[in-house]
Amino acid sequence: MVEKLDDAARAALAAELPGWTLEGEHLKRSLRFADFSTAWGFMARVALLAERHDHHPEWFNVWNRVDIALTTHDAGGLSVRDVALAQAIDALL
């Protein structure tokens, strides 16, 4: 089982993951794209990443907007799995 991040690790997230916000037990990011097709294409690439990481986002899409929330349900909050997936998502941008 993956351990929940401690307070020091959570405090370091702002510097490690610019563009992401910490909201309770979630890392969140809202992205805007040129249009629906571009947003959907991005989501498809993230879906493939998520499968490789065996860790899946909570997300929401309307037209050109994609909202992503990451948390590790098994850990009861944020874990290194969320940080790794956020970094991988950022690498796609």
Side-chain angles (χ1 to χ4, degrees):
M1 181 157 128
V2 178
E3 295 292 321
K4 199 170 160 178
L5 293 179
D6 63 23
D7 290 340
R10 289 171 62 93
L13 290 175
E16 284 182 53
L17 297 169
W20 292 83
T21 58
L22 181 59
E23 295 182 28
E25 293 299 327
H26 288 82
L27 273 174
K28 292 188 173 184
R29 183 152 191 186
S30 185
L31 300 159
R32 305 264 175 186
F33 297 91
D35 53 30
F36 179 75
S37 285
T38 307
W40 188 263
F42 170 78
M43 290 177 70
R45 290 189 308 278
V46 170
L48 295 173
L49 260 180
E51 280 296 300
R52 284 196 302 273
H53 283 251
D54 191 28
H55 192 57
H56 304 90
E58 298 172 13
W59 55 12
F60 179 77
N61 165 245
V62 172
W63 189 57
N64 70 337
R65 189 178 90 215
V66 176
D67 297 328
I68 304 170
L70 302 176
T71 193
T72 303
H73 297 285
D74 293 344
L78 293 172
S79 76
V80 294
R81 297 182 82 193
D82 302 303
V83 175
L85 186 54
Q87 291 169 332
I89 290 169
D90 285 349
L92 292 176
L93 297 171

